[in-house]
Amino acid sequence: MAKHLNISVSTVSRALNNHSDINEMTKEKVLKAVGEMKYRPNTIARSLIQNKTYTVGLMVPDIADPFFSNVALGIEEVLSAQGYQVVYGNTSRNKAKEKKFIESVFDRKMDGILLTPDNLDEDIISMLRNLKVPALFLRRRTPNGLNIPYIDVDHYEGACKAVEHLLSKGHRNICFMGMTEDSFISNERLRGFMETMHKHGIYPNDNQIVIAGRTIESGKLAMEKLYKKNKNMTALFASNDLLGIGALEWLSKNNIDVPNEVSVIGFDNLELSELYWIQMTTMAQPREMMGKMAAEKLLKMMDNSEKGKSILLHAELIRRQTC
């Protein structure tokens, strides 16, 4: 193509990669020739010349979880526009799968990795410490001993806002439904719940807190347990939307009116929560934006134009019909 256009190979390369030092007329000339000649870049040759594979790893704990699928959409949109292929690693929260995926970063010579590990023990921390490519945590905080930035939501602050909203509605007998005991996210939301209640002179007991799981079915089972122990409860803070939806289903099946008898607030703002027959009040996480920001940040880290600084985003209260 360079010979056909009577320009240098490096000029063609910069035009195709949208470099700022190429004028618009040259870019248009190159792009027109691409269409006319049906040109396809030789990926292997480009990789050898630039010492890049144009692949980025994306480790997620559960691709079926609507939260991560939305984040992945944002990541794909940004990276694919820059010619990168995203290599997925769905680990099912399994330590062995997480280790295998990190090993594949070395084996496939990926240019960078975005990761959400469930197991941050010494073995995995050691593997991440030896990574030779830029890495970024998604929805995970950086453990001691690692110099990897993160992008996450302030789960504590979001929980405080959720509980303040319930308190502003006059609720005092509020229960909390958590995910798993080892979940940093769930524990931060529990901390926000407890400290906000204490600030208002309310001290929940153990019967008002249940550790449930992550699914709608978990929410149904947990709601039954909570209600049997707390007949006078007037509100529930569920630490994710799926649990909240499960709670709403159990309350509906047992003819308990929402929101007049029990109010429910979730966390995530999944598409399910805004369905007409659900309309659940929730704390929104900017999921797709988080994915785009993560991809943009990793791109800058990979071209050495930015060092890794962590980003903490804010959750927004979405008022609907369940409070």
Side-chain angles (χ1 to χ4, degrees), residues 73-84:
L73 282 173
I75 291 167
E76 285 261 18
E77 183 179 329
V78 172
L79 290 178
S80 63
Q82 296 300 317
Y84 282 85

Side-chain angles (χ1 to χ4, degrees), residues 11-130:
T11 299
V12 171
S13 176
R14 292 200 301 276
L16 289 174
N17 286 286
N18 200 29
H19 277 258
S20 57
D21 60 349
I22 301 295
N23 66 55
E24 288 302 318
M25 188 178 294
T26 303
K27 284 181 189 177
E28 288 176 12
K29 186 177 175 182
V30 171
L31 292 173
K32 183 180 178 183
V34 165
E36 290 173 350
M37 300 173 69
K38 297 181 180 178
Y39 169 76
R40 294 182 65 192
N42 187 318
T43 306
I44 296 174
R46 183 176 66 163
S47 297
L48 290 170
I49 293 167
Q50 299 182 2
N51 196 28
K52 288 184 175 182
T53 62
Y54 285 89
T55 58
V56 167
L58 174 58
M59 177 203 287
V60 293
D62 183 3
I63 196 63
D65 185 326
F67 177 90
F68 292 106
S69 57
N70 278 112
V71 171
L73 282 173
I75 291 167
E76 285 261 18
E77 183 179 329
V78 172
L79 290 178
S80 63
Q82 296 300 317
Y84 282 85
Q85 182 74 33
V86 178
V87 179
Y88 284 85
N90 180 35
T91 63
S92 306
R93 306 184 190 276
N94 180 281
K95 179 182 173 181
K97 287 184 177 180
E98 290 177 352
K99 291 176 72 174
K100 190 171 182 180
F101 188 71
I102 296 169
E103 287 170 358
S104 75
V105 176
F106 296 95
D107 298 339
R108 299 187 186 195
K109 300 187 185 304
M110 295 180 193
D111 298 325
I113 182 173
L114 299 161
L115 64 161
T116 309
D118 234 43
N119 303 277
L120 274 168
D121 61 13
E122 191 50 48
D123 286 348
I124 288 181
I125 289 173
S126 178
M127 292 178 75
L128 294 174
R129 196 180 291 125
N130 291 320

